[in-house]
Amino acid sequence: MRRFFAILLLAALALAPGPSKADQADDAFAALASTSFDSVRGGVEQLSASGHPRAAAVIGALQSGKLYFRPDRALFIKQDDGGYLHALTAAAIADPGTVKPVRVNNGIRNAIDAALGAMRLFSPDTATRLTAAEAVFHAAEAGALPALNKAIAKESDPSVRLRMEQARAAAILSSADSGEADRIQAVSVLRTRADIDARGFLASLSGQPPAVADAIAVAITAIDRKAQLWSVAQSVYYGLSLGSVLLLAAAGLAITFGVMGVINMAHGEMVMIGAYTTFAVQQFMRAHTPGMYGASLLFAVPLAFMVSGTVGIVIERTLIRWLYGRPLETLLATWGLSLVLQQGVRTIFGANNKDVDTPSWMSGATQLGGLTLTWNRMYIILFSAIVLAALMAALRYTSLGLRMRAVTQNRRMAAAMGIRTPWIDALTFGLGSGVAGMAGVALSQIDNVSPNLGQSYIIDSFMVVVFGGVGNLWGTTLGALTLGITNKFLEPVAGAVMAKIVVLVLLILFIQRRPRGMFPLKGRAAES
Amino acid sequence: MKLDRTAGLTLGLTFGIPLTLALLNQTTDVSAALHVPTYVIALAGKYLCFAMLALAVDLVWGFAGILSLGHAAFFALGGYAMGMYLMRQIGSRGVYGNAMLPDFMVFLGWKELPWYWHGFEWFPFAMFMALLVPGLLAMGFGWLAFRSRVTGVYLSIITQALTYALLLAFFRNDMGFGGNNGMTDFKDILGFPVQADGTRSALLVISAAFLCAQYLVARSIVRSRFGKVLIAVRDTESRTRFLGYRPEAYKLVVWTLSAVMAGIGGALYVPQVGIINPSEFAPANSIEAVIWVAVGGRGTLTGAILGAVIVNFGKTWFTGALPNLWLYALGALFIFVTLFLPNGVMGLFAARAKKPAPELEAAE
């Protein structure tokens, strides 16, 4: 009955503030000063309806456990410094005498949420209204209905309005006196909301009429199915993101290993050098051009390409060119080189992880339906697509690319046509290393920048290249994405480590079936 | 079997030096000038076990052309078999005093011993498993890989994937092998305390004996008809196949044998270093084993032993004296050996022994 009154009072507040406002507020304050949970709860609802200027402060104090009452039903708000305020007048009271805190239970907490929410529903600030609507939804208090109706009628922002309607649906379903048609209508509103909160709320409902219960069951199934679809989509997204990281790390390797047949175990260190270049660029820009700091990554990308590419060319000229035709020896020598490079970086920069900042435009996340898309992952997917496209264009449309392909297909014939194959080798190696350096810029955003950064990617990168088929960038792309997505789909089932093991074993088995990867080179080039 | 000078020297030194060290450690007083401290015994034992791994790598790489970047996996598996035996020997002397379960299982709240731990309290069974597990894994892996003619770099990469997968697997606590921490705190082996000087000396001599035996086995294999076919497979696999041999069968036999040899090395390694953990599976370890062989001289069995001892001695010295320079030195060694010493240290000896042979014109 009290609740009914509360609804009436709320409606009264919403429609026309009557002359009896002050009386209501007094009653509400009196009801709050009680040890009875029911009385306190009623007081909260009355108070929120009263529109009393101190209502929000008093309910807020109750929420944080700072509302005290004296046996004579006077209310006080305890201050952080230990003093008290009179709840109605906000006057400081040095010594209120014997006071007891107003105790709350879960029912009262819900009422508080709904009351505070209902009061904020009319805030001029859209964001406040939105959070208020959410709070009212979670509280699911029938008492909030009139305020909600009024707020919905006034609301102009469609997204806030939607949230309010959902809150109203929750309130209707919680209310004891809603009609069956209203309830079914409410269930369908919540069904379209289709998130975990809506599902939880629907599942928690009991004592509904049979028709409504049926509708709820159907809605829950529908929400579950939708959630399943979203989780599949989320796995695909995570997989794409992992795949694009693998692709970035492996794209350079696809050039050096795939096109040149050089096993560069120091490839991971080219990635690492790229990451450290990013670090160095950020240090420099922080010190000298702080205004452009947000764009530091844009400067780091070409620089990392150049630094790693130069290191790559130097390696090719001094080391690898002596080892052509001896792939296993190349492997060992470049492994040794990777140790030297790691230790070199450790000597220069120290063994600790370096902080590479994520620019503000890359941090945060966005919601797309049930998907959470983090911006840095989105940018990495985008970046790897751009790198891949640029690489393919370079191989296909530039004169260097043409020469590279010629040398790959038939070294001697290319030499006979006047192509300086040693230089092409050096530039190809530089290109592959430079791409690895750019990968390092991206990886610096999601991984620890440490001297061991490269090592953790080298095996995966080789797997990708071998899986995709040597000498084929499309194969590398498909290989990277397949491995990434497979990994992410296995993870929820098997756990992260087990998923990785399973992928490795599957790869080992796959190579037995297709020793040259998914897309082997056809023809004589493959016979080596 | 007739031994030439190299083989005689190898066997003599491989057995003689450790025996001398062990005797000096046992018979002389701590204050004596000739006394060999126990840590030297432990180090020497470690080197010999690494030499077994190197020998195993050399057998497949030097004579069958299979560059395994995952041989440390077989070594570690043998080590784990021994580790399981040693764990079971701890009995109720563990921190938790559980007679049945090793400490880490009690810690993880396991109620009973997993089925695959049964039998490991019995030494012969554990040693049999130290041979069987690496052997079976190698056989399965090799059967798949050689049958489908995965060769060269591709094979190297999947061997690395194999050891990487095992590394990840053994890191998991659920596997029941002690997870990240592995197994340690061993008390005794066959009733002898593992930490005691006498046990250590005995283990050193036993390791030396096993290394010599492995050397002899490997030597007789590579000098047999079987070995000649292997070398043919290494040099041109397709031509050997056209001559009517089945390279995959030859490779499989030697590959499996090599894994077993590595497993023995691992089993002897664990009681001497007193710990086994998943880091033994790290791909870097396998690659390091390859460089031991390359330093000593690929395709010369003596070189494998020599290389393992030289590089590991260098590692011990460097990490003690100049810890920051060790990785530079190791890296430079990789580069230097591949560029300038394709036949390793043994190649230097050979070049000194006889005037450089006229190089065969490499037919392209």
Side-chain angles (χ1 to χ4, degrees):
Chain A
M1 202 57 194
R2 182 164 35 229
R3 208 185 265 196
F4 179 68
F5 272 118
I7 295 169
L8 276 186
L9 290 168
L10 255 174
L13 156 83
L15 298 171
S20 60
K21 238 172 86 176
D23 300 343
Q24 288 168 24
D26 289 343
D27 287 352
F29 284 122
L32 281 178
S34 161
T35 49
S36 151
F37 288 135
D38 280 348
S39 161
V40 174
R41 185 178 170 136
V44 169
E45 285 168 359
Q46 270 176 300
L47 189 58
S48 81
S50 72
H52 191 277
R54 293 288 299 157
V58 172
I59 295 177
L62 179 60
Q63 189 178 35
S64 48
K66 289 177 178 160
L67 191 66
Y68 287 74
F69 71 101
R70 216 161 47 190
D72 67 354
R73 302 213 146 182
L75 286 164
F76 302 96
I77 296 172
K78 191 173 185 180
Q79 298 302 104
D80 288 335
D81 58 16
Y84 290 86
L85 290 185
H86 196 271
L88 276 87
T89 58
I93 307 277
D95 180 21
T98 337
V99 290
K100 282 202 287 188
V102 180
R103 290 185 306 126
V104 294
N105 65 2
N106 277 337
I108 298 176
R109 278 189 202 103
N110 278 344
I112 292 172
D113 288 343
L116 290 176
M119 281 187 276
R120 292 198 200 105
L121 281 175
F122 301 97
S123 156
D125 179 39
T126 319
T128 312
R129 290 204 304 277
L130 194 68
T131 39
E134 272 305 280
V136 176
F137 169 78
H138 284 287
E141 280 288 315
L145 262 176
L148 273 170
N149 283 334
K150 169 104 174 151
I152 290 169
K154 267 176 64 179
E155 188 55 60
S156 53
D157 186 298
S159 66
V160 179
R161 194 191 168 96
L162 183 68
R163 285 284 182 246
M164 286 179 174
E165 275 165 1
Q166 287 161 356
R168 180 173 65 174
I172 288 174
L173 285 169
S174 310
S175 160
D177 4 270
S178 313
E180 193 172 299
D182 283 348
R183 285 173 191 276
I184 291 177
Q185 170 65 24
V187 169
S188 75
V189 168
L190 291 181
R191 179 177 165 167
T192 51
R193 177 178 164 123
D195 65 354
I196 190 145
D197 294 329
R199 189 200 184 280
F201 173 71
L202 286 175
S204 72
L205 289 173
S206 59
Q208 300 285 337
V212 181
D214 287 350
I216 288 173
V218 172
I220 288 178
T221 332
I223 291 174
D224 283 348
R225 196 173 308 128
K226 212 163 174 180
Q228 220 166 10
L229 281 178
W230 280 119
S231 90
V232 168
Q234 187 81 57
S235 291
V236 170
Y237 172 69
Y238 285 144
L240 277 180
S241 147
L242 176 65
S244 64
V245 168
L246 289 176
L247 175 60
L248 274 176
L253 202 66
I255 304 276
T256 52
F257 179 48
V259 177
M260 300 176 71
V262 169
I263 317 289
N264 182 16
M265 292 300 270
H267 179 78
E269 277 56 48
M270 300 296 129
V271 175
M272 186 241 327
I273 288 175
Y276 272 92
T277 308
T278 316
F279 170 71
V281 166
Q282 289 199 343
Q283 291 294 313
F284 179 85
M285 291 185 72
R286 186 177 294 151
H288 298 281
T289 55
M292 292 164 76
Y293 191 68
S296 57
L297 289 190
L298 301 182
F299 289 92
V301 169
L303 249 164
F305 179 82
M306 282 190 279
V307 172
S308 290
T310 312
V311 174
I313 290 176
V314 172
I315 293 172
E316 201 279 340
R317 284 289 87 190
T318 54
L319 184 63
I320 286 171
R321 70 162 163 159
W322 307 107
L323 295 168
Y324 281 119
R326 294 158 66 195
L328 300 183
E329 275 84 348
T330 317
L331 193 156
L332 293 178
T334 49
W335 175 262
L337 184 71
S338 80
L339 295 182
V340 172
L341 289 174
Q342 276 174 39
Q343 189 63 17
V345 166
R346 206 171 279 130
T347 312
I348 299 171
F349 291 96
N352 298 337
N353 291 348
K354 292 289 169 216
D355 279 331
V356 172
D357 292 331
T358 303
S360 53
W361 47 273
M362 269 183 76
S363 42
T366 181
Q367 284 284 336
L368 181 72
L371 282 182
T372 310
L373 308 176
T374 43
W375 281 118
N376 59 352
R377 296 277 174 172
M378 287 283 273
Y379 276 107
I380 286 176
I381 294 178
L382 192 69
F383 182 63
S384 64
I386 293 172
V387 167
L388 184 74
L391 203 54
M392 283 185 171
L395 284 178
R396 184 144 180 76
Y397 298 114
T398 65
S399 141
L400 176 67
L402 182 68
R403 284 154 210 254
M404 276 182 197
R405 283 181 291 138
V407 173
T408 313
Q409 283 171 15
N410 195 326
R411 174 173 297 271
R412 289 173 144 202
M413 189 61 78
M417 301 295 282
I419 295 175
R420 294 172 64 186
T421 54
W423 272 111
I424 296 301
D425 287 336
L427 290 177
T428 312
F429 200 80
L431 177 67
S433 303
V435 170
M438 295 202 289
V441 180
L443 292 186
S444 74
Q445 296 300 312
I446 54 168
D447 208 335
N448 296 328
V449 177
S450 77
N452 301 327
L453 172 72
Q455 271 201 321
S456 41
Y457 288 96
I458 187 75
I459 293 180
D460 288 334
S461 313
F462 269 112
M463 289 296 146
V464 166
V465 175
V466 169
F467 178 58
V470 164
N472 187 330
L473 276 179
W474 282 116
T476 308
T477 312
L478 199 61
L481 296 183
T482 312
L483 290 187
I485 292 175
T486 313
N487 216 326
K488 287 299 171 188
F489 269 95
L490 284 173
E491 257 176 32
V493 187
V497 178
M498 209 51 208
K500 198 144 192 209
I501 297 171
V502 170
V503 167
L504 281 173
V505 171
L506 286 179
L507 257 176
I508 292 175
L509 292 177
F510 176 83
I511 290 174
Q512 318 295 336
R513 301 291 309 163
R514 304 284 298 265
R516 301 276 166 199
M518 284 192 291
F519 303 101
L521 281 182
K522 297 269 182 343
R524 288 191 183 180
E527 310 290 333
S528 53
Chain B
M1 181 165 37
K2 225 173 116 41
L3 294 175
D4 56 24
R5 228 184 81 204
T6 317
L9 209 58
T10 308
L11 285 174
L13 291 178
T14 308
F15 195 71
I17 295 177
L19 185 67
T20 319
L21 291 177
L23 284 178
L24 283 176
N25 173 264
Q26 284 301 294
T27 55
T28 59
D29 190 67
V30 180
S31 56
L34 280 174
H35 181 73
V36 174
T38 307
Y39 78 87
V40 174
I41 300 291
L43 271 181
K46 202 168 106 174
Y47 296 166
L48 292 186
C49 296
F50 285 150
M52 289 184 223
L53 175 58
L55 205 58
V57 171
D58 195 21
L59 193 59
V60 287
W61 185 36
F63 296 93
I66 308 166
L67 176 56
S68 167
L69 296 184
H71 243 55
F74 305 125
F75 184 81
L77 285 174
Y80 264 97
M82 176 61 102
M84 285 161 82
Y85 164 75
L86 293 171
M87 279 317 261
R88 298 290 280 119
Q89 292 306 301
I90 296 175
S92 56
R93 285 169 291 173
V95 177
Y96 295 104
N98 190 317
M100 266 314 266
L101 296 183
D103 275 349
F104 67 84
M105 289 190 190
V106 182
F107 182 73
L108 291 174
W110 292 30
K111 290 287 166 272
E112 55 186 52
L113 210 59
W115 60 268
Y116 48 83
W117 271 75
H118 287 291
F120 275 92
E121 66 276 12
W122 194 44
F123 187 74
F125 177 80
M127 290 309 96
F128 177 65
M129 293 311 269
L131 308 183
L132 185 73
V133 173
L136 270 186
L137 176 67
M139 194 186 274
F141 182 85
W143 186 71
L144 284 168
F146 302 142
R147 192 186 53 142
S148 45
R149 300 187 193 172
V150 181
T151 53
V153 175
Y154 293 88
L155 189 70
S156 302
I157 289 172
I158 61 170
T159 54
Q160 188 148 49
L162 174 75
T163 190
Y164 187 53
L166 283 169
L167 169 79
L168 294 175
F170 274 78
F171 262 124
R172 285 161 45 89
N173 279 329
D174 306 354
M175 284 283 286
F177 295 110
N180 196 359
N181 299 320
M183 306 174 194
T184 186
D185 273 341
F186 305 131
K187 303 291 185 218
D188 46 32
I189 175 168
L190 289 172
F192 302 101
V194 279
Q195 301 284 352
D197 291 2
T199 319
R200 285 186 179 278
S201 298
L203 279 170
L204 174 65
V205 175
I206 292 169
S207 304
F210 266 98
L211 180 57
C212 288
Q214 290 194 2
Y215 175 78
L216 285 174
V217 169
R219 185 169 177 276
S220 60
I221 284 176
V222 300
R223 291 163 72 93
S224 65
R225 208 183 114 78
F226 179 88
K228 298 275 182 275
V229 180
L230 270 186
I231 292 171
V233 169
R234 173 191 75 186
D235 291 343
T236 30
E237 183 167 342
S238 44
R239 202 174 295 177
T240 318
R241 183 176 288 118
F242 300 152
L243 286 172
Y245 294 98
R246 293 173 59 90
E248 58 273 20
Y250 285 85
K251 279 160 91 170
L252 184 58
V253 170
V254 76
W255 172 254
T256 308
L257 179 75
S258 163
V260 171
M261 283 165 60
I264 295 174
L268 284 164
Y269 173 79
V270 170
Q272 304 193 62
V273 297
I275 184 169
I276 175 81
N277 62 30
S279 68
E280 297 296 334
F281 286 103
N285 283 16
S286 298
I287 298 180
E288 234 178 87
V290 172
I291 203 64
W292 304 335
V293 177
V295 167
R298 175 190 172 197
T300 63
L301 296 170
T302 308
I305 299 176
L306 193 64
V309 174
I310 293 177
V311 176
N312 281 297
F313 180 76
K315 184 175 192 169
T316 308
W317 185 80
F318 259 106
T319 44
L322 303 161
N324 290 328
L325 292 185
W326 163 241
L327 279 180
Y328 285 126
L330 184 66
L333 188 69
F334 271 87
I335 298 169
F336 179 80
V337 168
T338 43
L339 282 183
F340 303 110
L341 268 187
N343 295 318
V345 177
M346 291 303 283
L348 282 182
F349 288 144
R352 263 169 59 104
K354 51 183 177 192
K355 288 289 151 220
E359 279 203 21
L360 288 174
E361 206 53 51
E364 246 188 280

